[in-house]
Amino acid sequence: MSKRDAIFPANRHALYEAHGYSAAVRTGDLLFVSGQVDSREDGSPEPEFRKQVELAFRNLEAVLVAAGAGFDDIIDVTTFHTDPENQFEAIMEVKTGIFPKAPYPTWTAVGVNWLAGFDFEIKVIARLPG
């Protein structure tokens, strides 16, 4: 059985400890990242939707960096949206800045009715470099 190593971004370990899960788990050369939302340092959500998406991607990047990876290492993306029809344009604008050219990661978008006070969440699987 592969060893499972928990990964936590700097300055956010208490958030995960309080809720009883890891920001990411590394097993072999794969990194499974828990859903990242637009939580600010104090845990509160960003009110403006496009900024929510940007902050969720920044929070995701912090987890990837803590594991020695980056956006180019992502192979699979799942996003969750509370109002996909009205949010899609803003999400695509941010996504295009993060993944500007092919080959793109796989992507599954899911509409949901609740995200604990947030409107956007992203989780990924990445292959670690080296």
Side-chain angles (χ1 to χ4, degrees):
M1 180 193 259
S2 295
K3 185 176 178 193
R4 192 172 57 182
D5 297 314
I7 305 293
F8 297 95
N11 303 322
R12 297 185 58 101
H13 186 62
L15 170 73
Y16 298 102
E17 190 68 32
H19 297 286
Y21 69 102
S22 298
V25 170
R26 175 180 39 225
T27 182
D29 66 347
L30 293 177
L31 182 70
F32 297 85
V33 181
S34 293
Q36 299 297 303
V37 293
D38 60 288
S39 60
R40 300 182 210 164
E41 297 243 347
D42 67 359
S44 66
E46 165 62 45
E48 198 262 301
F49 183 74
R50 182 187 167 96
K51 289 182 181 176
Q52 287 183 24
V53 177
E54 292 168 350
L55 184 53
F57 271 98
R58 282 199 304 272
N59 290 340
L60 170 60
E61 184 176 31
V63 176
L64 292 169
V65 167
F71 289 127
D72 288 343
D73 300 306
I74 294 173
I75 55 178
D76 183 64
V77 176
T78 304
T79 54
F80 303 91
H81 318 265
T82 57
D83 187 4
E85 187 174 354
N86 292 311
Q87 297 166 338
F88 194 72
E89 185 177 332
I91 293 164
M92 290 304 292
E93 288 173 5
V94 175
K95 175 188 170 285
T96 300
I98 303 293
F99 304 110
K101 61 184 178 17
Y104 306 106
T106 61
W107 195 293
T108 302
V110 180
V112 298
N113 61 13
W114 186 78
L115 288 172
F118 299 94
D119 292 311
F120 177 81
E121 184 171 335
I122 181 169
K123 68 182 297 320
V124 304
I125 300 170
R127 183 167 308 282
L128 296 167

